[in-house]
Amino acid sequence: MAESEADVAVIGGGPAGLHASLVLARGGLSVVLLDESDTLGGQYYKRRAEQLTAAFGDFRPRGTELIGQVRDSGVDVRTGTLVWGAEDAGRTLFTSDVRTGALGRVSTRATLAATGAYERTLPFPGWTLPGVVTPGFALHLATMDRVPVGQRVVLAGTGPFLLPVACALLEVGARIEALVELNHPYRPGVSSIGGALRQPARLAEAARYLLTLARHGVRVEQGARVLAAHGDTRVTAVDIGQEDGSVRRLETDALCVGFGFRPSTELPRLLGCLTEPDPTGTEQLPVVDPDGATSVDGLYVAGDCAGIAGVHAAGVRGQLAAHAILRRLAPERAPVRLSGLRRRARSLDRFAELADRLYPLPDTTDLPDATQICRCEGVSAGEIRQAAATGWNDLHGTKAATRAGMGPCQGRECGHIVAALTGRSEGGLECFAARMPIRPLPMAATVEGQEVP
């Protein structure tokens, strides 16, 4: 097992991890940046292939610049490296090379978890059909590969993320059959208007997306939701439910449904961080101070891992956490004043709170019994309800009885729905416990020296 040491380990090479690594390295600390992907940038600063960059230009040049600055600062960048476990308050990290399965150990004086988030999916009848995807997948195809996910696309769910996805699809030639928004964020109440006006940059960004959609004749249908997808070998139609109870069916060859993002908190929870429900009441977030310090001494959290707030907040949170680590490990090199950065963080946090109010999540307890909840193990809503009704009303007991959450995703996709269906999300949210390995390991990692075929 390869072993190494550093002053600070940063886990996650997205906006928060990149900004934090740059501050720490420029502060004179030795930094190792670990990321499971083959390239830095995370989901926001993804890199196009060289041929596509030459043909269509650099995707988000700011990301290329930031990645270059991090590499030039002397950070030990290790892409393709999975952090699958930790101990000793995060001062010992267990890693695996995603290509070869080779195991490693990193010893560090402080650890920053900037593990980001993943898309929130909510089941509905037909959601496992081929052609039903998340908005993030559709955006990746459109921006990275310049390929539309379908020719006739329905976008649905809730959240501001649907707008840029729709615009990206239009740019690569897809036709948007409908853009279905569960809530009414684009005709907000009086209480929300003031908050929106205090965020002029974000308001202008949303306006640009809406104008682009209007030019293409795409209208955002507010107060509507996907009820079911239909098809045999792939999705061919979707039922849209309106507020008045009416239902209409649209033909489509691609359905993109998403309900925002879920923080990736497995590592802080594994290490025993205190947690609390997020503003939506559907997630358990690490309890952190304004600088990202957790209840575990020497462990910090930044970016969407600390709560969904967007790319701008992720960068600021990463910088604040890095400065806090500098004050801890090298106080003589830490800046004295960070008032401007703190003001920006508070402003961006208020924007995140506004988004939570504008885009509330739907009830997930009324799903039909036949709806598949755990895709990995093929467990339906009815099976989960039956297990809860026959005495397995503990979340982990229901998991044991039905195998829901035991597949490769380890409950990241279905855990919150299982909790809701068993009644374990009332009066105190419960979620599947984080255990090592917190990500699936290649088989070669279980037998040292064995090569991946």
Side-chain angles (χ1 to χ4, degrees), residues 184 222-227 239-249:
H184 298 87
Q222 301 185 75
R225 65 182 298 179
V226 168
L227 299 179
D239 289 342
I240 307 295
Q242 311 294 330
E243 284 184 302
D244 61 6
S246 62
V247 178
R248 67 190 179 103
R249 180 166 294 187

Side-chain angles (χ1 to χ4, degrees), residues 56-57 83 92 105 118 124 150 200-201 211 219 292 302 328 383 399 418:
F56 298 101
V83 176
T92 300
R105 187 197 306 264
Y118 41 92
F124 55 88
L211 285 172
R219 181 176 65 88
R328 177 191 181 92
E383 290 173 294
K399 177 181 179 180
V418 177

Side-chain angles (χ1 to χ4, degrees), residues 120 262 277-284 361-362 416 425 429-431:
R120 182 194 302 272
R262 301 185 63 206
D278 75 343
T280 70
T282 62
E283 304 290 345
Q284 283 284 13
L361 297 171
H416 59 303
S425 59
L429 188 74
E430 187 177 348
C431 56

Side-chain angles (χ1 to χ4, degrees), residues 15 27 118 142 152 167 208 215 230 262 267 277 316 372 430:
Y118 41 92
R152 304 176 64 185
C167 293
R208 287 194 298 271
R215 285 197 301 270
H230 304 279
R262 301 185 63 206
L267 184 66
V316 172
Q372 192 172 104
E430 187 177 348

